[in-house]
Amino acid sequence: MLLETLEAARDLGRLREILGVLVRHGFGDTVRRLGLANTLERAGARLHWQPPTDLARLEPPVQVRLALEELGPTFVKFGQILAARADLFSPPWIAEFEKLHSNVPALPLDALRSQLRADLGGEPEEVFAHFDPEPLAAASIAQVHRARLHDGTEVVVKIRRPGIAEVIEADLRLLQRLATLAEAELPHLRPFHPQELVREFARSLRHELDLAAECRNAERIAANLAALPYILIPRVHWRYTGERINVQDFIAGVPGNALEQLTPEAGFDRQLLARRGALTVLKTIVEDGFFHADPHPGNVFYLPGNRIAFIDFGMVGRLSQRRRDELLHLLLGLVEPQPPTVAEVLLDWTSNAHTVSLAQLETEIEAFVDQYQNVPLAQLSLAQMLTDVTAILRTHRLGLPSDLALLIKAFITLEGMGRGLDPDFHMAAEAEPLLQQVARARYAPRAVGRRAWQALRRSLATLEHLPDDLTRLLRNARRGRLQVNVEVAHLKRVGDQIDRSANRLAMALVIAALIVGSSIVMTVQGGPTLFGLPAFGFLGFIAAVVCGLWLVRAIWRSSHRGDDE
């Protein structure tokens, strides 16, 4: 408790800054309902409650985007994570989240020099044959400089901003507290699972802070794609790479957002590039279960010979074998189409489906998939189909697991890139042969036999330990040490309400005791007086009045919150 108090005091200034930005952008009512305004006022801080009139006229998604940009790198990254949650947010919100960018100027080399000296073991001009002091690119977490090794290899040096880890950790602490409050005090936000979103975001951001982890991701994907000669992943130079810095080969090619340079005269076949890019990402998703989760044009380069290079593996997605099997069934159900299969997979994915009518949800999903019966693959838009499916789930306030939300975002981005290269590109037509191939491999006799053998081994191991487990269970039951844990939803909230009620009851008893005791003292002659009345009796009545006013105010505020909910 003491540690939490000290941390809260340390973060108080940042909390005031965050709440001030929220108020300026028209979210003062939310701040009040969270009870944070009272916390700041008790700490001696004050908030300006009048938002600018020009911001008040903006739509809520725009107001949220502007607030996130003003709050800095951590919150911008949080908004970028939310852009992948089409299952939770409607298209206007997703469109605004996708516009988020950090207006962070590049740091001069002198501000990085001491950290570089510690990480490289010397001055950058000495470690490298050439080091460009002007950054090639700058972002909220790191910035990139060009350099040349002594053997002549052209490289890029990615450097984490000094002190950014401490800033992000402080913001994550506050975000976790805000998410807990939001889930408890704002019922309309509960379907968005604020605490789960923040936990997912914290894991992703902490992983992204480790620049060596990005290189490990790159090497793993490079190994998975080694059989594709037209795919290039930058080589990592581990001699210079660590948590705060990484060094990779420089990629000289056409950026993914400069499509006008991909002309036949320059030797590029845009249809071939679209097909190769799609099949590559599909392979990493369906076969490998480890994929680039942010394949937007800024992370792609096109090279002579119709080769493709992918960079920046700070954000990756992982899919277990079970999840890949489910995904395979879903995609085959969409492109073939098979409505019952799609409905079954989606219902399995939505863990909170007990809150809605399953029959109605299944009927809507089957009606959605059924409309694509007999539609040629060349006319199907897989991205639009996935968008429509998430819209159905969003209507029923059902959220997908975070790994699947990231996956759907990657699919939608990928099809958009393919259409940018080739207007006649259709992800469904490209995906079906690979999906069929993976399905055949999945159910080949050798693969089935291997899974059956693994299942048999697990079953035999369970049977081997079953007598010991039963013996321990019966022994504990005989000794009266058998425990059954029952988890009741919202039990903590109910406990808090009972605790508050008990405190008010105790205060009422104190007030009654003060009134009775003061009345008795008033009848006693002698002793000090105040305004002609016995002093102790008079002060007792004053204390009873003050406590009574506090009790009335607490009851009124509690009922007021109940009305809001």
Side-chain angles (χ1 to χ4, degrees):
M1 179 63 71
L2 177 61
L3 182 61
E4 291 181 358
T5 303
L6 292 174
E7 286 184 349
R10 179 178 58 181
D11 298 334
L12 188 62
R14 178 58 172 159
L15 177 61
R16 178 184 178 184
E17 181 183 348
I18 291 172
L19 298 185
V21 171
L22 293 177
V23 170
R24 284 200 303 275
H25 287 272
F27 300 101
D29 182 62
T30 300
V31 172
R32 287 190 179 97
R33 294 183 64 185
L34 290 174
L36 293 170
N38 295 335
T39 302
L40 284 181
E41 289 171 359
R42 285 196 297 269
R46 291 291 184 270
L47 295 175
H48 301 288
W49 291 99
Q50 295 299 325
T53 55
D54 55 338
L55 290 176
R57 290 193 293 267
L58 297 176
E59 292 296 322
V62 180
Q63 290 179 329
V64 170
R65 174 178 61 82
L66 294 175
L68 292 174
E69 287 182 346
E70 187 174 345
L71 286 171
T74 307
F75 291 84
V76 168
K77 288 286 183 183
F78 186 50
Q80 291 170 347
I81 290 290
L82 296 182
R85 300 309 303 262
D87 57 317
L88 299 179
F89 296 94
S90 60
W93 286 90
I94 297 297
E96 289 301 321
F97 289 142
E98 288 177 340
K99 296 178 184 177
L100 281 167
H101 59 279
S102 301
N103 295 315
V104 182
L107 292 174
L109 182 58
D110 288 342
L112 304 171
R113 190 172 291 279
S114 61
Q115 179 177 299
L116 280 173
R117 191 184 303 117
D119 292 336
L120 295 173
E123 298 293 342
E125 293 85 357
E126 299 172 355
V127 174
F128 300 100
H130 171 72
F131 186 88
D132 191 346
E134 294 298 322
L136 187 65
S140 54
I141 291 179
Q143 62 187 56
V144 177
H145 292 252
R146 284 196 64 175
R148 186 186 313 115
L149 302 181
H150 288 287
D151 63 3
T153 304
E154 295 289 334
V155 296
V156 292
V157 182
K158 190 172 185 178
I159 309 163
R160 195 174 78 186
R161 288 175 173 268
I164 191 64
E166 291 76 13
V167 172
I168 286 177
E169 285 298 332
D171 282 348
L172 287 178
R173 286 195 298 271
L174 290 174
L175 261 178
Q176 287 166 347
R177 293 193 183 100
L178 291 173
T180 302
L181 281 173
E183 198 154 322
E185 303 295 337
L186 303 176
H188 63 281
L189 291 182
R190 287 174 195 156
F192 297 94
H193 309 292
Q195 294 188 72
E196 182 183 337
L197 283 173
V198 171
R199 283 194 295 269
E200 169 202 339
F201 167 63
R203 285 194 301 269
S204 173
L205 190 53
R206 288 185 177 118
H207 192 74
E208 196 171 345
L209 283 172
D210 185 356
L211 300 188
E214 174 187 335
C215 292
R216 289 192 291 271
N217 295 338
E219 289 198 336
R220 179 174 173 180
I221 290 181
N224 292 338
L225 299 177
L228 303 180
Y230 51 82
I231 297 298
L232 175 65
I233 306 296
R235 180 179 46 155
V236 178
H237 297 271
W238 285 105
R239 176 183 174 185
Y240 312 101
T241 295
E243 182 182 352
R244 300 186 299 185
I245 185 173
N246 69 40
V247 178
Q248 304 176 57
D249 282 351
F250 174 75
I251 300 297
V254 177
N257 50 14
L259 299 181
E260 68 281 355
Q261 300 182 30
L262 302 177
T263 61
E265 293 76 17
F268 290 103
D269 183 339
R270 294 174 64 154
Q271 292 181 340
L272 180 59
L273 288 172
R275 188 162 61 253
R276 283 180 169 179
L279 291 177
T280 299
V281 178
L282 282 170
K283 178 189 180 304
T284 61
I285 292 173
V286 179
E287 288 188 9
D288 307 326
F290 190 79
F291 60 96
H292 197 312
D294 195 21
H296 63 76
N299 290 334
V300 178
F301 287 86
Y302 301 108
L303 311 176
N306 292 307
R307 294 181 299 150
I308 305 174
F310 292 94
I311 65 170
D312 193 356
F313 294 89
M315 185 182 296
V316 294
R318 297 171 175 83
L319 294 176
S320 65
Q321 183 60 59
R322 176 183 175 183
R323 193 73 88 194
R324 274 179 274 167
D325 293 341
E326 295 169 342
L327 174 66
L328 180 64
H329 293 148
L330 174 71
L331 294 179
L332 284 173
L334 286 174
V335 302
E336 287 189 348
Q338 299 173 3
T341 300
V342 175
E344 181 182 351
V345 173
L346 289 176
L347 289 174
D348 287 342
W349 282 355
T350 51
S351 57
N352 51 345
H354 61 276
T355 61
V356 300
S357 169
L358 297 184
Q360 180 183 356
L361 177 61
E362 186 170 357
T363 300
E364 288 189 29
I365 292 174
E366 290 189 1
F368 157 72
V369 180
D370 191 60
Q371 67 183 314
Y372 294 102
Q373 289 278 6
N374 302 320
V375 176
L377 282 177
Q379 297 178 18
L380 289 179
S381 171
L382 190 58
Q384 185 59 49
M385 294 172 74
L386 291 172
T387 301
D388 292 342
V389 167
T390 55
I392 293 174
L393 298 178
R394 189 171 60 249
T395 300
H396 291 273
R397 294 194 169 188
L398 295 173
L400 291 172
S402 59
D403 56 343
L404 294 170
L406 203 61
L407 171 69
I408 289 176
K409 172 68 173 178
F411 265 118
I412 294 173
T413 303
L414 185 62
E415 181 153 12
M417 289 180 59
R419 291 283 175 91
L421 286 166
D422 176 15
D424 296 325
F425 173 80
H426 295 278
M427 175 70 78
E430 299 296 336
E432 190 189 31
L434 178 62
L435 296 176
Q436 295 287 2
Q437 175 185 338
V438 173
R440 286 193 298 269
R442 173 69 176 158
Y443 296 104
R446 178 176 295 181
V448 173
R450 184 171 59 251
R451 290 197 301 275
W453 171 243
Q454 291 172 350
L456 179 61
R457 289 176 58 189
R458 289 195 299 269
S459 300
L460 291 174
T462 302
L463 288 174
E464 180 183 354
H465 296 291
L466 185 59
D468 293 335
D469 293 338
L470 287 174
T471 300
R472 280 194 295 268
L473 179 64
L474 293 174
R475 185 185 302 121
N476 289 334
R478 285 197 302 268
R479 295 177 180 177
R481 293 166 51 188
L482 189 63
Q483 295 181 352
V484 178
N485 296 324
V486 179
E487 184 176 347
V488 181
H490 307 301
L491 185 59
K492 183 180 183 301
R493 184 175 177 83
V494 173
D496 292 341
Q497 292 175 343
I498 294 174
D499 193 30
R500 286 196 296 268
S501 299
N503 290 338
R504 290 171 191 157
L505 181 59
M507 180 60 72
L509 292 174
V510 170
I511 294 171
L514 284 172
I515 293 173
V516 172
S518 300
S519 300
I520 295 173
V521 171
M522 282 290 189
T523 63
V524 177
Q525 301 297 323
T529 61
L530 192 62
F531 302 111
L533 300 171
F536 292 111
F538 180 78
L539 291 175
F541 277 120
I542 294 296
V545 169
V546 171
C547 292
L549 291 174
W550 176 88
L551 183 60
V552 170
R553 178 175 179 269
I555 293 173
W556 179 85
R557 289 185 62 194
S558 177
S559 62
H560 185 65
R561 280 199 300 266
D563 292 340
D564 289 342
E565 295 179 5

